[in-house]
Structure formats: structure tokens, C-alpha cells
Amino acid sequence: TPHEYLVVEVTEACPHACVHCYNFWREDRAPVLSPETLRRKEILKLVRKIRGDAPLRVVALSGGEPLLRPDIAGICTDLMNDGLSVAVITSGVLLTPERAARFPAGTTFEITLFGADPALHDRIVGRAGAFGRVLQGAASALEHGHKVVVSVVLNRLNAGHTRDALE
């Protein structure tokens, strides 16, 4: 059925400098909550309005990096309380055990991985030590009973390493 899946960008802010980033504001390091950023209540209101017109089942929260928002777990709770499945599209770097514990049970974390080689992953992300933190983030999510989905974004640097990343 069409229109069952909605992606809401909840912040433009991101701590990374990915080589493939399409976000024009990345060089300016957007604030986590700018005047244009939808607030928690506004997100719920917007999703409810869309749901009135379309048979939504899943809402994905994206960014920038949605885990930068201090209220992201509350946004997930609001949406899940409305009967929706929620996915958080994240680098996974900021998904600490403490943060993972704040999310409602059943939250899905779609974590981006750029390869199985730590140096390659970190080069693409533009942040040293990111690979290890991604793995720790995935482990934190799983330890708290959340679902983890891994996505692999391909570019010239990692296209030959797809199999390793998926494994």
C-alpha cells in the first residue's frame, strides 16, 4: 500500500563530515534546534495530519543526526503511543547505553555502516574512532531490546567492500 512509510527530518545538525553528504548546511554546522526546526508537539501534530490522509504504519526519524535532539526518545514515545512503528536513522555513534535505555521498547535503529574496515569507515564519516562507537551503539540498542537494521551507503571509496560491510 502506498504512503505507509514517512521520513521526518528532526534536525539538520550532525557531528560528522561524510564525504558523500548532500546537506548544503553541513559546513556551517547547523544548530540542533533552529527556529525552523519542528518541535516535539509539532511533529506529532504533523504526523497525525498526514495519517488522516494516508495509511501510515512507520515513521522514520532522520536528520542530520536525530540522536542530537534531547527529546528524540520522547518523540518516539509519542509516535508509538499513537500506534505507529518508529525507526531512528542514525550513525549510531551517539547511541550510548544510557541513551538507548530512554527509548520505548520496540524502537528500530537504522544504523549506517560504511564498511567493515574501521579506517575506511572513519575516513568516509570524517571522524576518527567512529567505527568502534557505531558497533557499541548497535550493541547498546540490542542490549535494551531494540531492533537494529544496518544500512550501507555506497560511494567510490567503499563500493568494493560491500560484502564485508554486510557480513
Side-chain angles (χ1 to χ4, degrees):
T1 306
H3 313 298
E4 291 183 348
Y5 191 89
L6 173 70
V7 179
V8 179
E9 187 170 280
V10 296
T11 183
E12 297 175 349
C14 185
H16 304 300
C18 297
V19 298
H20 60 275
C21 184
Y22 58 86
N23 293 337
F24 65 89
W25 56 80
R26 106 173 180 194
E27 296 302 323
D28 296 329
R29 292 291 169 219
V32 173
L33 296 173
S34 72
E36 294 82 23
T37 305
L38 290 172
R39 301 299 189 249
R40 180 176 170 180
K41 288 181 182 179
E42 293 171 319
I43 291 170
L44 183 60
K45 182 179 177 180
L46 175 66
V47 170
R48 284 178 173 166
K49 182 175 177 161
I50 293 169
R51 197 171 188 198
D53 296 329
L56 285 180
R57 291 186 312 108
V58 180
V59 175
L61 304 174
S62 181
E65 174 52 65
L67 293 182
L68 286 171
R69 281 192 68 143
D71 60 350
I72 191 67
I75 294 169
C76 290
T77 299
D78 294 343
L79 296 171
M80 291 176 88
N81 284 344
D82 261 18
L84 293 162
S85 294
V86 176
V88 178
I89 302 171
T90 176
S91 71
V93 168
L94 301 176
L95 193 53
T96 62
E98 297 78 23
R99 192 168 275 137
R102 290 188 218 133
F103 284 84
T107 301
T108 297
F109 290 93
E110 181 181 316
I111 296 177
T112 307
L113 189 63
F114 297 101
D117 175 56
L120 176 62
H121 177 89
D122 292 357
R123 178 179 172 200
I124 293 170
V125 168
R127 183 174 180 167
F131 182 81
R133 293 181 68 190
V134 169
L135 297 183
Q136 290 172 348
S140 295
L142 291 170
E143 288 170 10
H144 286 87
H146 302 301
K147 300 170 191 166
V148 174
V149 176
V150 177
S151 65
V152 180
V153 177
L154 299 177
N155 59 46
R156 288 187 188 271
L157 297 174
N158 68 354
H161 303 271
T162 306
R163 178 177 296 216
D164 293 339
L166 292 172
E167 288 176 357

PDB file of all heavy atoms in Angstrom, residues 5 8 54 93 143:
ATOM      1  N   TYR A   5       4.889   4.699   4.798  1.00  0.00           N
ATOM      2  CA  TYR A   5       6.179   4.984   5.410  1.00  0.00           C
ATOM      3  C   TYR A   5       6.494   6.465   5.235  1.00  0.00           C
ATOM      4  O   TYR A   5       6.418   6.993   4.129  1.00  0.00           O
ATOM      5  CB  TYR A   5       7.253   4.134   4.718  1.00  0.00           C
ATOM      6  CG  TYR A   5       8.600   4.118   5.385  1.00  0.00           C
ATOM      7  CD1 TYR A   5       8.903   3.185   6.365  1.00  0.00           C
ATOM      8  CD2 TYR A   5       9.585   5.022   5.014  1.00  0.00           C
ATOM      9  CE1 TYR A   5      10.149   3.151   6.960  1.00  0.00           C
ATOM     10  CE2 TYR A   5      10.831   4.993   5.611  1.00  0.00           C
ATOM     11  CZ  TYR A   5      11.112   4.056   6.583  1.00  0.00           C
ATOM     12  OH  TYR A   5      12.347   4.036   7.180  1.00  0.00           O
ATOM     13  N   VAL A   8      10.740  11.793   8.616  1.00  0.00           N
ATOM     14  CA  VAL A   8      10.696  13.162   9.132  1.00  0.00           C
ATOM     15  C   VAL A   8      12.107  13.542   9.555  1.00  0.00           C
ATOM     16  O   VAL A   8      12.715  12.876  10.392  1.00  0.00           O
ATOM     17  CB  VAL A   8       9.740  13.291  10.344  1.00  0.00           C
ATOM     18  CG1 VAL A   8       9.739  14.715  10.874  1.00  0.00           C
ATOM     19  CG2 VAL A   8       8.335  12.845   9.975  1.00  0.00           C
ATOM     20  N   ALA A  54      -3.418   9.356   4.907  1.00  0.00           N
ATOM     21  CA  ALA A  54      -2.672   8.209   4.364  1.00  0.00           C
ATOM     22  C   ALA A  54      -2.570   7.126   5.439  1.00  0.00           C
ATOM     23  O   ALA A  54      -2.530   7.429   6.628  1.00  0.00           O
ATOM     24  CB  ALA A  54      -1.275   8.649   3.946  1.00  0.00           C
ATOM     25  N   VAL A  93      26.768   6.475  16.416  1.00  0.00           N
ATOM     26  CA  VAL A  93      27.890   6.936  17.233  1.00  0.00           C
ATOM     27  C   VAL A  93      27.432   7.453  18.597  1.00  0.00           C
ATOM     28  O   VAL A  93      28.108   7.254  19.600  1.00  0.00           O
ATOM     29  CB  VAL A  93      28.699   8.019  16.473  1.00  0.00           C
ATOM     30  CG1 VAL A  93      29.681   8.737  17.374  1.00  0.00           C
ATOM     31  CG2 VAL A  93      29.425   7.393  15.294  1.00  0.00           C
ATOM     32  N   GLU A 143      21.082  -4.605  23.450  1.00  0.00           N
ATOM     33  CA  GLU A 143      21.043  -4.921  24.883  1.00  0.00           C
ATOM     34  C   GLU A 143      19.773  -4.387  25.547  1.00  0.00           C
ATOM     35  O   GLU A 143      19.318  -4.923  26.552  1.00  0.00           O
ATOM     36  CB  GLU A 143      22.267  -4.345  25.586  1.00  0.00           C
ATOM     37  CG  GLU A 143      23.551  -5.095  25.263  1.00  0.00           C
ATOM     38  CD  GLU A 143      24.796  -4.371  25.766  1.00  0.00           C
ATOM     39  OE1 GLU A 143      24.667  -3.377  26.524  1.00  0.00           O
ATOM     40  OE2 GLU A 143      25.893  -4.795  25.378  1.00  0.00           O
TER      41      GLU A 143
END
